[in-house]
Amino acid sequence: MKPILHKRIGAPLFFMMFGLAAMSTAQAGERRCTFYEDPSADGNVFEPPRWPGSLTPGMYAQPGIVRAGRDDFYQFIAWRALAGMPLDAAAQERLRPFDPCWLTETSEHHGHNPHNDAALKHALEGWQTERLRGGGPKQAALAIAGKDSSVLNCPADAFRNATRTLGIRLTNYGADATLRDWVVGQDAVFANCAAPGAMPADAPAGAPDWLRMDRAYQQAAAHFYRGAYPEAAARFDAIAQDAASPWRAIAPYLAARADVRAASAADDGKADAALMASALKRLEPLADASTDTPLRTDARRLRQLILLRTAPAQVLARLDTELGSAAPSANIGQDVRDYSYAWRATAPAERGQLGYGAWLAVMRSARAANASPAEALRQWEATQQLPWLVAALTRATPQAPPPEALLTAAQALAPASPAYLTARYHLARLAASDAEAVAIVDAALALRPALGADDANAFKRIGLARARNLDDVGRFIVRSGVLPVRGEAPAAAMDVAAFLNTGLPLDMLATLAQQKNLPPKLRAELETVAWTRALPLARPDVATRLAPAIKARFAGSAPLVDQMLAEPNPALRRGISAMLLARYPGMVANVSPFIGYEADPTKFAHPIMRASNNLERSRENWWQVFAGGKPTYGKSVPAPAVPTFLAADAAATLRAERATLAALPSGTDYLAGLVMEHATREPRDARLPQALSMLIRAHGGDARGQYTAPMFKHLHKYFTRNEWAKRTPTHR
């Protein structure tokens, strides 16, 4: 059975053992989402795995373009804004620690690392200082990391609680032998943080009552930390029955925590249910009637965690009301994350009866079975509420246009409306003509800099899909803030790369590449792609147009470029072109939307050229894919439709070029075939050795490759003493 400790919902509750939780204060850190596509690694905190590119204070009132499939955290913020209930500064601050992109020293992209928490380090220092003041012996560094580093067995509050208690005992009783015995007992408690260790000894005979009662608490805590949960619960129950114990009030709460931990570790579903029921029974009096406010708050939060497992629909209904209230609770951040868990565990019919839950069902995923356009439209027509206007627009498609009343309502929204940008986005998407769509996009882009980069890119995606000419393409392929995975950011966004790779005939691609308004990085990429495609498409005229840019970009390439362009024989020109491309694997035939450069692509000439090589893993390169095959990295991007602005002859040319490129073998095999064809005609051509060596190594040791052995044989037969032959002692 999977543990109940769920990183998305439960972890914050477990980080407070044996010390009541402090309310969240301002969180130091920064907001940074650096995944390019969805963070699909196990343990990610995104639910679903999508997020906007920016989250500023203004987004709480003006959420920008609200889109389906975004993380629930952002959908909640957007829903509140659309419903006319934007979150105030205090609620925003309470949400901040739960923002999936809010990074502190304790957070990582693939999980939580609480051992880096500054509060924990400070609490540890405070405990060490106080124990020395109480007469405790010097101690080596305390081990607190358990098997699962994302779950802090002994959190900061445990050390703060011990420090506070020791200070009180020191003030009341002084630093005598009895107090030193207390410190030794507490050291034994913390010895169990990382793994089962020593247990606190029984209080010595004749010990004062305060030490006897504290020792009982220390022993119960030690059993808890070492994972002996039934024993810990029994000992906390005994403490609860001791009317004189200062730990009597909190003991039932801690016994309930022991039950929850035991349930999380249980393999038997029945035992799990029984332990959860036991924990609830202990918590109910505390959660409903305790006069200790912090204890009552913690008891309610633990009760919510248990009910998420045992009665999620009940939690969902309550949270739906609380999250939709004018003044959300102080636990709003945890509640938003718990809502996601409860939502997934609740039947669709029960979600549909809720306010926020029904809207989330429509907006959470475009693939959800209950996200039908008809339901969204029905809700808007029944309520006329802004959240449902957005949902109905989101689910509308050009194939099934929405009713005129919905479009009229969208048109009527004022710029100050929190739904204004969303409405303009969908009006552009659903526009009947390209001219109308582009006009809406241009008007939205004119709102910059108030328009965020993420939303500007969204409008440009529509503009590119509805482009009327090459000038429109040039304006809409320039994007802002493309997120890197490693090294530099990719030169183009995914839809831009798909369009550039398959949406324009070579002549237009070359013309676009030379537009002065393009960013230098994107322009250089397009020039290189068009230049490289000129070889298989037999277009020396395009190569001639782009030659000055290529010679300027790729140092040392000028002699071979000039020789290629000056060669009148098409077969020899093809061979020189292949040797040139083999020497400069940074000359690629595809724009990559996924991986940016780790190294300067003009210097790509590593001795082993293959996708798995760390030195060269930095992009989707043409050694594996020339121009039409399956990508080495990331997702296959479907070819867009032929742009409507292309004339009939240009469209026919594009289709023919697509077919030619798609029929090519891998870049390595394609170049190897051309180079060996040239080697047959000109076996001692001094330009061959480097190309042969790099192509042999590009096969990655595949000695069975069609060209591997012939290339190796030719290199060592005709160029035995050449440095490139020496660099290539084997073809395996």
Side-chain angles (χ1 to χ4, degrees), residues 20 96 116 118 137 239 245 341 365 382 428 469-470 523 590 690 728:
L20 299 182
R96 190 184 307 282
N116 291 333
I239 291 171
S245 175
Y341 184 92
S365 170
N469 49 51
L470 204 58
R523 183 178 179 183
N590 261 351
Q690 183 177 354
T728 317

Side-chain angles (χ1 to χ4, degrees), residues 225 380 513 559 700:
Y225 289 139
W380 176 74

Side-chain angles (χ1 to χ4, degrees), residues 300-308 318-319 335 338:
R300 288 177 176 177
R301 292 177 68 186
L302 183 56
R303 179 174 64 181
Q304 179 164 304
L305 178 63
I306 295 169
L307 291 175
L308 281 172
R318 179 175 57 79
L319 290 182
D335 286 347
D338 286 357

Side-chain angles (χ1 to χ4, degrees), residues 280 284 288 300 303-322 338-339 341-343 345-347 350-351 354:
L280 277 176
E284 294 294 356
D288 293 333
R300 288 177 176 177
R303 179 174 64 181
Q304 179 164 304
L305 178 63
I306 295 169
L307 291 175
L308 281 172
R309 182 67 169 267
T310 59
Q314 175 185 331
V315 177
L316 187 70
R318 179 175 57 79
L319 290 182
D320 197 83
T321 299
E322 292 184 6
D338 286 357
Y339 193 96
Y341 184 92
W343 191 95
T346 301
E350 293 178 87
R351 302 173 197 154
L354 305 173

Side-chain angles (χ1 to χ4, degrees), residues 343-381:
W343 191 95
R344 286 186 288 111
T346 301
E350 293 178 87
R351 302 173 197 154
Q353 303 303 312
L354 305 173
Y356 173 47
W359 184 82
L360 186 62
V362 175
M363 296 297 295
R364 200 169 194 264
S365 170
R367 297 182 297 275
N370 53 359
S372 69
E375 173 62 13
L377 184 60
R378 185 192 69 78
Q379 289 275 13
W380 176 74
E381 290 174 339

Side-chain angles (χ1 to χ4, degrees), residues 365-545:
S365 170
R367 297 182 297 275
N370 53 359
S372 69
E375 173 62 13
L377 184 60
R378 185 192 69 78
Q379 289 275 13
W380 176 74
E381 290 174 339
T383 66
Q384 297 294 299
Q385 293 174 350
L386 208 53
W388 286 110
L389 172 70
V390 165
L393 287 170
T394 299
R395 292 305 172 201
T397 65
Q399 294 74 30
E404 193 62 33
L406 183 68
L407 296 177
T408 300
Q411 289 277 10
L413 292 177
S417 169
Y420 178 75
L421 282 179
T422 307
R424 304 309 294 174
Y425 172 81
H426 290 297
L427 288 171
R429 184 177 63 84
L430 299 168
S433 70
D434 292 342
E436 181 185 357
V438 170
I440 296 172
V441 168
D442 283 336
L445 294 176
L447 298 174
R448 290 178 294 183
L451 184 70
D454 190 54
D455 289 339
N457 288 344
F459 277 110
K460 286 185 174 184
R461 279 193 288 274
I462 294 176
L464 181 58
R466 307 295 293 269
R468 303 159 300 173
N469 49 51
L470 204 58
D471 287 339
D472 280 351
V473 172
R475 291 188 299 122
F476 296 136
I477 63 174
V478 179
R479 303 292 171 79
S480 302
V482 177
L483 297 172
V485 171
R486 58 175 76 90
E488 297 182 28
M494 188 163 61
D495 68 303
V496 171
F499 182 89
L500 295 174
N501 287 336
T502 57
L504 292 174
L506 184 59
D507 277 321
M508 283 191 173
L509 191 65
T511 299
L512 182 64
Q514 295 183 304
Q515 284 192 2
K516 301 295 185 183
N517 65 307
L518 295 183
K521 182 177 179 179
L522 179 56
R523 183 178 179 183
E525 183 95 341
L526 291 185
E527 289 170 338
T528 303
V529 167
W531 157 269
T532 306
R533 289 187 177 199
L535 169 59
L537 296 177
R539 292 293 304 274
D541 56 319
V542 172
T544 300
R545 284 173 59 187

Side-chain angles (χ1 to χ4, degrees), residues 31 53-63 77 92 96 99 450 452:
R31 188 172 191 281
S54 61
L55 180 63
T56 63
M59 185 179 176
Y60 290 93
Q62 292 290 343
I77 293 170
Q92 293 173 29
R96 190 184 307 282
D99 179 351

Side-chain angles (χ1 to χ4, degrees), residues 692-701 708 711-712 715 728 730-731:
L692 289 170
S693 174
M694 294 187 69
L695 288 168
I696 291 166
R697 295 172 183 191
H699 275 88
T708 310
M711 287 191 297
F712 182 82
L715 176 63
T728 317
T730 178
H731 62 293

